[in-house]
Amino acid sequence: MPKSTSVKVSPEVENSLGFPKHALHTKEAERLEALRNYQILDTPSEAAFDNLVRLAAYICGTPLSMMSFIDDKRQWIKACNVEFDIKETDRNFTFCQYALQVDDVFEVPDARKDPIFQHYPTVINDPNVRFYAGAPLITPEGQALGTICTIDTEPRQLTAQQRDALRILAKEVVAHLELRRARLQLEQESQKLDGLIRLANDAAQSMFMGSRNEIFVKQEHRLIRVHTEDIRYVEALGDYVNIYTSRERYTVYSTMKELETKLPVREFARIHRKYIVCLDRIMAIEGDSVQVDVGRPQDRQAPTLIPIGNSYKAILLSRLNLI
């Protein structure tokens, strides 16, 4: 019996292993941690495992075959070759907990004659188990997670070829578990990477947006620096746009869509297909219009009235600090 795998079993089995109890409990904690790392418990059926247990039943000539995992309190059934309503059973009344103790096929020819199993509910009552053979599912690190087993209602023994086939099937199950774990890890790492990329992009975008405090506009043969904090509103005019500041109006060959990408989104809002306004310069909203402060009183006598498009009003209101 291997000393690398151990489970919570009856005192008779503990004594047969020759380990002190604290060593058994330590090994069990390591085994349970390994089981959790495979993320297999309480998962839906998977064709690869279903096919392997069907193959076990065919090879061994038994009516029932299953693959299960043992955690600290229960045996959880991942796959079965027949429709089975029960998905888990009390660990203390399972054959599989004993199969975990060996690195070969664990076989019970006639449970009625076995002092450990003859009083089991599954032996006394339905499904009247008589024969059991299970191969442990041992990870590359030597941890036994569960078994692939085959069961009959009549006493019997496996042939040497059948036992060998069960060993091979157990190795196939572990190979699928390894592939499954690797795929899950890749998916999780990919999700983490996507999250980091999104965070980095958001941070970069935030920095970029925060740095958009100026634009350059072409006027005749000059490029003029305009601070965005000085822009009151933007007006579309055919193929051109007018940019109004507190003192000047700049007419440039551009589109409203292009201007939107140049201006800080936190400070400006599109309120009409023809107008973009600085939110800080809105003095009032009356009906379907906004009053925009376009400069100092000595420069402008009154705020400018700008229409609000029907499709933009709700968005505009959602961005204002309303009471």
Side-chain angles (χ1 to χ4, degrees):
M1 296 181 182
K3 296 187 177 182
S4 60
T5 57
S6 122
V7 296
K8 178 183 176 184
V9 296
S10 64
E12 294 86 351
V13 175
E14 286 190 352
N15 293 336
S16 70
L17 289 171
F19 286 115
K21 289 186 177 181
H22 67 83
L24 283 169
H25 295 157
T26 299
K27 294 296 182 181
E28 173 66 354
E30 294 174 357
R31 190 192 71 81
L32 292 173
E33 179 62 25
L35 177 58
R36 284 190 289 269
N37 287 338
Y38 279 88
Q39 301 179 60
I40 191 71
L41 292 175
D42 301 307
T43 57
S45 62
E46 298 175 48
F49 299 122
D50 292 341
N51 291 338
L52 288 172
V53 297
R54 288 172 60 197
L55 191 57
Y58 295 152
I59 291 172
C60 296
T62 56
L64 183 63
S65 181
M66 63 179 65
M67 184 185 81
S68 63
F69 298 92
I70 305 289
D71 68 9
D72 59 333
K73 295 180 180 179
R74 60 175 177 155
Q75 173 188 15
W76 180 76
I77 300 168
K78 170 66 175 176
C80 187
N81 70 315
V82 298
E83 290 292 332
F84 209 58
D85 294 334
I86 299 174
K87 291 297 293 183
E88 60 183 64
T89 58
D90 187 332
R91 169 178 172 159
N92 293 320
F93 295 100
T94 63
F95 289 81
C96 292
Q97 66 171 320
Y98 294 91
L100 294 189
Q101 301 304 312
V102 297
D103 58 3
D104 199 0
V105 175
F106 177 76
E107 191 170 352
V108 180
D110 189 347
R112 290 177 304 180
K113 298 179 181 178
D114 193 297
I116 295 177
F117 305 111
Q118 62 185 355
H119 300 300
Y120 268 27
T122 53
V123 174
I124 299 173
N125 304 313
D126 188 65
N128 300 305
V129 174
R130 297 295 177 263
F131 168 78
Y132 170 91
L137 306 176
I138 302 175
T139 71
E141 296 76 28
Q143 299 290 355
L145 307 180
T147 68
I148 182 169
C149 66
T150 184
I151 297 169
D152 202 343
T153 56
E154 298 293 334
R156 59 180 301 159
Q157 283 186 304
L158 296 181
T159 66
Q161 291 82 3
Q162 288 171 330
R163 278 191 291 273
D164 190 43
L166 207 54
R167 295 186 197 102
I168 294 171
L169 289 175
K171 292 177 180 178
E172 284 297 308
V173 170
V174 173
H176 280 286
L177 287 173
E178 288 292 311
L179 288 172
R180 183 182 183 278
R181 180 170 67 168
R183 187 186 74 249
L184 288 174
Q185 289 175 341
L186 284 174
E187 290 174 355
Q188 290 167 358
E189 290 301 318
S190 177
Q191 290 173 1
K192 289 179 183 178
L193 181 59
D194 288 344
L196 289 174
I197 290 174
R198 282 195 299 271
L199 286 174
N201 287 341
D202 290 345
Q205 180 71 3
S206 177
M207 292 176 63
F208 178 64
M209 295 300 294
S211 67
R212 292 182 187 173
N213 55 10
E214 59 186 28
I215 60 174
F216 283 84
V217 297
K218 186 176 181 181
Q219 298 293 287
E220 296 181 350
H221 301 292
R222 294 189 304 159
L223 287 176
I224 299 175
R225 184 195 305 268
V226 177
H227 291 280
T228 56
E229 64 183 17
D230 198 34
I231 296 174
R232 272 39 179 175
Y233 69 99
V234 178
E235 177 187 37
L237 191 66
D239 293 333
Y240 295 85
V241 295
N242 289 327
I243 301 173
Y244 292 88
T245 68
S246 60
R247 293 180 178 273
E248 302 287 341
R249 182 192 71 185
Y250 300 99
T251 302
V252 297
Y253 182 76
S254 183
T255 64
M256 294 294 275
K257 185 175 182 179
E258 183 179 4
L259 256 294
E260 279 188 289
T261 65
K262 305 293 185 183
L263 298 172
V265 294
R266 291 192 296 270
E267 300 172 22
F268 289 83
R270 184 85 171 263
I271 67 166
H272 191 279
R273 63 182 180 82
K274 293 180 60 177
Y275 293 99
I276 297 173
V277 300
C278 177
L279 293 172
D280 286 344
R281 299 301 172 178
I282 295 176
M283 302 298 295
I285 298 177
E286 184 175 350
D288 293 327
S289 300
V290 297
Q291 291 181 351
V292 178
D293 177 14
V294 292
R296 293 176 297 181
Q298 59 266 38
D299 298 322
R300 303 280 181 173
Q301 295 300 317
T304 297
L305 201 63
I306 297 176
I308 304 173
N310 291 333
S311 59
Y312 296 92
K313 191 168 185 178
I315 298 175
L316 172 62
L317 293 176
S318 70
R319 298 188 60 184
L320 301 177
N321 192 16
L322 300 178
I323 297 178

